[in-house]
Amino acid sequence: MNEGKRLLVLGIGNRLCRDDGIGSVLAERLSHRTEHENVDIIDGGTIGLGLLYLFESYSDVIIIDSTDAGAEPGTLIWYSLHDLEATEGEGKVSHHQSGVLDLLSHARLMGCLPKNVILLGIQVAAIEPEMGLSEEMRERLPMLETCVEEEIGHWLKTNA
């Protein structure tokens, strides 16, 4: 493992608004299944800028969040930091894009922006004020877990 390389997998979202909480739910589930000394998986919920301190300790970050790109529910869409910054003001790629971009902008200003940032956007089926994921998302949860685990595995392989 390269010295100083650490990965943060950060799930965000509001579990009180159906599929909006998919990032939070995935982070919680993966945190019980994935163990590696240089990888931490954290459910960031809706804390927003309160997560800034986390970036000081990581070289790489994968953010998991809900998105509405008009794709089939459960579709995973990869966004680089450049992709996120390029879409600012043109429409959201993430339901928490303003918060995510604020978080990343503050990290850059404070000099703690991780070298590599990826947002894994997950196309949602329903966002409404109700607890729990929609049936479509519950059915796709195992597949989404596998996709995020593969991304973590890829990171481990390239940073060993």
Side-chain angles (χ1 to χ4, degrees), residues 20-39:
D20 188 63
I22 186 68
S24 178
V25 169
L26 271 171
E28 181 184 15
R29 291 172 63 114
L30 288 165
S31 70
H32 297 296
R33 296 174 33 163
T34 306
E35 287 188 30
H36 192 281
E37 65 182 289
N38 292 320
V39 178

Side-chain angles (χ1 to χ4, degrees), residues 5 18 33 39 52 64 90 93 101 104 116 120 133:
K5 296 287 268 182
R18 279 275 184 205
R33 296 174 33 163
V39 178
L52 188 58
I64 307 168
E90 294 181 11
V93 298
L101 282 173
L104 297 172
N116 298 303
L120 293 181
L133 299 174

